């Protein structure tokens, strides 16, 4: 299972960026995908998730600013980030948990992180 994340960069506060996470068609169609982030000196935290059916949930810190969507044609999950704040500066990772026949066979896969830097 491979996840390819892209779209990071540097932006001023108040700006926008879109991150993308591309995977294989089978992984994309069978699983929900999450976005996490890790700021320097902090633990990795969940930013938001999108289910196979397209249901989303978000961390309180990004609600109303970030939107996760699925592009079925491209097997890609996008993270649209608006009204960015310096506190959003972090390495962003996409993640998928591929479920086995039972939970003990579940496996977690991570994409390479992509850096987002928001300057004040």
């Amino acid at each position: 299972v491979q996840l390819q994340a892209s779209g990071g960069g540097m932006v001023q506060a108040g700006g926008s960026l879109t991150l993308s996470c591309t995977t294989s068609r089978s992984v994309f169609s069978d699983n929900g995908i999450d976005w996490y982030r890790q700021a320097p000196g902090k633990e990795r935290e969940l930013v938001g998730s999108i289910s196979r059916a397209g249901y989303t949930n978000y961390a309180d810190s990004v609600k109303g600013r970030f939107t996760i969507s699925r592009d079925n044609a491209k097997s890609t999950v996008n993270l649209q980030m608006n009204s960015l704040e310096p506190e959003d500066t972090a390495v962003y990772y996409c993640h998928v948990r591929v479920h086995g026949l039972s939970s003990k066979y579940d496996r977690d896969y991570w994409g390479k992180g992509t850096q987002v830097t928001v300057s004040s």
Side-chain angles (χ1 to χ4, degrees):
V1 174
Q2 289 191 331
L3 301 167
Q4 182 67 45
S6 61
M10 184 177 294
V11 65
Q12 289 189 329
S16 298
L17 279 175
T18 300
L19 307 183
S20 297
C21 178
T22 302
T23 187
S24 68
R25 185 168 299 277
S26 60
V27 171
F28 179 83
S29 62
D30 292 346
N31 299 280
I33 291 178
D34 317 304
W35 283 98
Y36 284 76
R37 67 185 181 186
Q38 187 165 19
K42 295 188 176 181
E43 293 188 355
R44 192 172 296 189
E45 64 174 356
L46 179 65
V47 174
S49 301
I50 188 163
S51 71
R52 290 191 304 172
Y55 295 106
T56 56
N57 63 75
Y58 302 94
D60 288 343
S61 58
V62 307
K63 275 182 185 175
R65 301 188 298 122
F66 289 13
T67 302
I68 300 175
S69 61
R70 295 172 69 95
D71 184 337
N72 294 331
K74 297 180 180 180
S75 299
T76 295
V77 169
N78 296 310
L79 174 63
Q80 173 69 44
M81 305 184 292
N82 298 326
S83 302
L84 282 161
E85 304 167 352
E87 293 74 22
D88 296 315
T89 295
V91 178
Y92 285 70
Y93 301 89
C94 54
H95 162 266
V96 64
R97 173 165 289 176
V98 177
H99 296 282
L101 292 177
S102 69
S103 61
K104 70 177 181 179
Y105 296 112
D106 292 351
R107 293 292 182 266
D108 291 305
Y109 298 91
W110 297 88
K112 286 186 178 179
T114 183
Q115 176 72 46
V116 171
T117 303
V118 184
S119 60
S120 57

